[in-house]
């Protein structure tokens, strides 16, 4: 049987997308500079390039994987019915929230301040170019699940065991986010995503959980002022009563 190169090609185009900003940003900045400072123009261009580069890469990854009939037969085992995979994906979102909460408490006990630099940077980009939200909530989860769960975890789990494969894939997942202060937080999320994929043998499960997580974080971060204002109003009402 001819060995499939699908994973290799998906990995290559993912790396190209990650590095493509070096070429893409200088091209886009002049088109988004009107009425903006240099920093604002850079953030706006970053958002648009995320959308373009990750959008093209996501489509390419889906086409490549769809052409390979055996690509989603890893890891080995019986695949859950699609409806079960979808339900577990939704439930998995709450599992990840719980896991991140536990990891956050451990980090605080170690003296690590809450707040991710990576998340803050993405929010700044999305604030200047809302189209970046599509990249963060839709494209990034699909691509990251292909890379870290299907390729890394899937490539290891049948050769080792779940815990080794999940540990390696989750640590790489955490490291790639370049926020080493909160390595535990990202690793906890990656471990749960790997668990969801392993249980159902369907990548759609971890993709759904990942999308919901990213969407939840973006909604909260982009509306912090409104949330704080609502909390202040509730406190004033409580004090009046």
């Amino acid at each position: 049987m001819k060995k499939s190169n699908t994973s290799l090609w998906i990995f290559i185009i993912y790396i190209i997308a990650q590095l493509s900003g070096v070429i893409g940003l200088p091209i886009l900045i002049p088109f988004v500079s009107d009425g903006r400072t240099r920093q604002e123009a850079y953030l706006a261009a970053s958002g648009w390039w995320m959308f373009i580069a990750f959008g093209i890469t996501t489509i390419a990854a889906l086409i490549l994987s769809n052409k390979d009939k055996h690509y989603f037969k890893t890891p080995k085992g019986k695949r859950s019915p699609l409806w079960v995979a979808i339900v577990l994906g939704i439930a998995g979102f709450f599992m990840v929230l719980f896991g991140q909460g536990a990891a956050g408490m451990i980090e605080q006990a170690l003296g690590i301040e809450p707040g991710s630099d990576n998340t803050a940077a993405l929010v700044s980009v999305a604030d200047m170019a809302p189209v970046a939200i599509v990249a963060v909530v839709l494209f990034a989860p699909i691509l990251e699940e292909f890379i870290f769960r299907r390729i890394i975890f899937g490539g290891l789990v049948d050769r080792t065991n779940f815990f080794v494969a999940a540990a390696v894939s989750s640590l790489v997942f955490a490291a790639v986010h370049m926020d080493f202060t909160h390595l535990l937080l990202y690793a906890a999320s990656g471990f749960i995503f790997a668990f969801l994929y392993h249980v159902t043998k369907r990548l759609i499960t971890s993709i759904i959980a990942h999308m919901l997580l990213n969407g939840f974080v973006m909604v909260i971060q982009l509306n912090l002022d409104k949330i704080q204002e609502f909390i202040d109003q509730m406190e004033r009402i409580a004090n009046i009563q």
Side-chain angles (χ1 to χ4, degrees):
M1 179 184 293
K2 184 179 179 180
K3 185 178 179 180
S4 171
N5 292 318
T6 303
S7 289
L8 176 61
W9 282 113
I10 291 176
F11 181 78
I12 289 173
I13 61 175
Y14 174 75
I15 296 299
I16 292 174
Q18 292 283 9
L19 301 176
S20 63
V22 175
I23 298 174
L25 290 182
I27 295 173
L28 281 181
I29 287 176
F31 293 97
V32 296
S33 294
D34 290 346
R36 290 190 171 108
T37 66
R38 185 175 181 179
Q39 179 64 16
E40 289 173 344
Y42 177 81
L43 291 173
S46 296
W48 275 102
W49 191 252
M50 284 174 57
F51 175 76
I52 295 169
F54 285 173
I56 293 172
T57 306
T58 298
I59 293 171
L62 292 172
I63 291 173
L64 287 169
S65 61
N66 188 58
K67 286 184 176 181
D68 187 343
K69 296 180 180 179
H70 301 284
Y71 192 67
F72 292 110
K73 292 185 178 180
T74 296
K76 295 177 182 177
K78 185 178 179 181
R79 301 170 74 192
S80 298
L82 182 59
W83 71 269
V84 172
I86 293 172
V87 170
L88 286 179
I90 297 171
F93 160 65
F94 296 99
M95 291 173 60
V96 176
L97 284 184
F98 178 82
Q100 285 197 339
M105 287 190 290
I106 294 173
E107 287 186 349
Q108 289 187 36
L110 295 172
I112 299 173
E113 293 293 327
S116 167
D117 291 339
N118 178 68
T119 300
L122 290 174
V123 170
S124 297
V125 169
D127 196 42
M128 285 292 105
V131 72
I133 297 172
V134 178
V136 173
V137 177
L138 182 63
F139 300 149
I142 293 174
L143 288 174
E144 290 181 352
E145 292 310 305
F146 266 99
I147 299 299
F148 301 107
R149 254 57 71 182
R150 169 54 186 88
I151 295 177
I152 298 179
F153 174 81
L156 289 173
V157 68
D158 292 334
R159 296 180 176 86
T160 56
N161 57 58
F162 167 76
F163 291 101
V164 171
V168 172
S169 62
S170 60
L171 286 173
V172 176
F173 172 72
V176 166
H177 283 81
M178 301 299 290
D179 193 352
F180 297 104
T181 302
H182 298 286
L183 194 69
L184 180 61
L185 197 69
Y186 284 101
S189 301
F191 196 93
I192 295 171
F193 290 143
F195 171 77
L196 293 170
Y197 177 41
H198 186 65
V199 166
T200 63
K201 305 297 187 294
R202 286 185 181 270
L203 200 61
I204 188 65
T205 306
S206 56
I207 288 176
I208 290 173
H210 201 155
M211 284 181 175
L212 290 174
L213 177 68
N214 284 15
F216 175 78
V217 171
M218 291 301 290
V219 168
I220 295 297
Q221 292 294 322
L222 289 171
N223 292 280
L224 278 178
D225 292 341
K226 294 179 181 178
I227 293 171
Q228 187 59 52
E229 182 180 349
F230 175 77
I231 293 173
D232 292 342
Q233 289 178 350
M234 291 299 100
E235 289 179 348
R236 286 195 292 268
I237 293 172
N239 290 332
I240 293 174
Q241 294 176 343

